[in-house]
Amino acid sequence: MHLIQAAREIIKHHVVPAQAWPPQQLSLALQGGGSFGAFTWGVLDRLVEEHELHLDTISGASAGAVNAVLLASGLAEGGRDAAKQKLEHFWRRMSEAAAFISLANAAHIPGMAPGGLGMLTRALAPYQFNPFDLNPLRKSLAAEVDFERLRKDAPLHLMIAATRVSDGKLRIFRNNDISLEAVLASACLPQVHRAVEIEGELYWDGGYVANPPLVRLVHESETSNILVVQITPVKIDHRPTTSGEIARRVDQITFNSSLNSDLDTLELAAEVGAGQKIKNLRIDRIAADELVENLAEKSAADLDWPFLVRLRDSGRLAADKWLRKGAHD
């Protein structure tokens, strides 16, 4: 069943609506998708302005994991305003670093404009293309997040997904074992960066196996109100014909497949009456491609600041609409 149809069927036939809106307790499932994660930044930026709304559990993969950790770190260190500041500071850092790297690469690789770097990364493994494993994400996260404090004082439950290279299975890092390396592992695209080693195991991007973890989030969350923030485009309106278009569409399908599977699993559980939690479950979804025009044609590697601001503003608008209309949707 199509993703949107599956979500609607769960809500229509198997969900008991919350009595009050917006809900006082909410858990979030934050999808990964590179720079499209700035849309999630906007969603979170708006949600934390609702002082009566408290977050219980957040699951995330890749950019979703990054946003989740930034939010939790800000809440732990200085409350809602600090969380908003950390999210903005981080995305500014990433945009500035991307601009510097693009200029440096264009200057040092003869004939290679920044837009052509994707061809180079497809031709070479990161061990050749990026032999020193330079990663601006590491520096930006280290500057914004005190991981030791986060492990001790996180005001919510975190579930960060990564893919174990050895067997392709999901590893979820929770509060006590969340570290800089764990978040880097969750966001490690193997075409760009070396696998991240943690406790003798190698990890790649969590989006390959759980983007984001949803069934486990439902199981571990204390609330029956779940909001999925989906940033990988669901639909396209044209036939992919070029190699670039085909590769982009394959990536979009791949990174949405686990979410589709989790929604199907929850729908089946609701149909067979698998427990009171499932009966009371309400799953809502905010999708970036429903608000950002032509998102499916954009690059998830685009960290140009005006593009990130456009995504953030769209995310804020989407969250505001959800807060105002969700009770009747």
Side-chain angles (χ1 to χ4, degrees), residues 64-281:
V66 170
N67 279 317
V69 165
L70 289 165
L71 177 70
S73 177
L75 292 173
E77 293 180 21
R80 295 170 185 262
D81 288 341
K84 290 165 68 73
Q85 291 172 4
K86 278 191 181 292
L87 285 161
E88 180 170 357
H89 290 169
F90 168 82
W91 284 101
R92 281 190 178 275
R93 287 178 185 274
M94 291 301 296
S95 182
E96 292 167 359
F100 175 79
I101 290 172
S102 294
L103 289 172
N105 282 324
H108 290 92
I109 304 176
M112 182 63 69
L117 292 176
M119 296 176 61
L120 189 59
T121 59
R122 287 193 293 270
L124 298 175
Y127 299 88
Q128 291 82 44
F129 170 71
N130 187 5
F132 298 106
D133 201 27
L134 300 177
N135 188 352
L137 178 59
R138 175 184 293 276
K139 184 176 181 180
S140 298
L141 277 173
E144 294 296 337
V145 180
D146 181 341
F147 282 93
E148 182 176 357
R149 180 170 182 174
L150 180 63
R151 287 190 291 272
K152 294 179 180 178
D153 301 330
L156 48 82
H157 301 295
L158 291 168
M159 302 172 63
I160 303 305
T163 303
R164 196 160 51 213
V165 176
S166 61
D167 58 9
K169 291 186 177 182
L170 171 65
R171 164 81 187 269
I172 293 181
F173 295 90
R174 294 172 176 82
N175 292 44
N176 290 337
D177 52 9
I178 287 179
S179 63
L180 175 58
E181 297 303 315
V183 182
L184 292 174
S186 183
C188 178
L189 288 173
Q191 300 89 347
V192 181
H193 297 292
R194 299 182 185 186
V196 177
E197 183 173 347
I198 301 175
E199 299 171 349
E201 286 281 359
L202 297 178
Y203 294 94
W204 282 337
D205 195 297
Y208 291 115
V209 291
N211 194 23
L214 183 55
V215 171
R216 294 189 184 216
L217 172 68
V218 169
H219 176 69
E220 298 185 24
S221 174
E222 295 296 326
T223 178
S224 59
N225 293 295
I226 309 293
L227 176 61
V228 178
V229 182
Q230 184 174 16
I231 59 175
T232 299
V234 177
K235 297 189 295 184
I236 60 174
D237 57 8
H238 72 285
R239 178 184 301 176
T241 56
T242 69
S243 60
E245 290 173 341
I246 293 170
R248 184 185 299 116
R249 188 55 185 157
V250 168
D251 285 344
Q252 291 166 356
I253 293 171
T254 299
F255 280 98
N256 273 326
S257 62
S258 65
L259 182 55
N260 286 335
S261 177
D262 276 4
L263 282 167
D264 285 344
T265 298
L266 290 171
E267 183 187 19
L268 178 61
E271 289 176 352
V272 300
Q276 191 63 36
K277 178 177 283 191
I278 295 296
K279 291 180 180 179
N280 292 335
L281 185 64

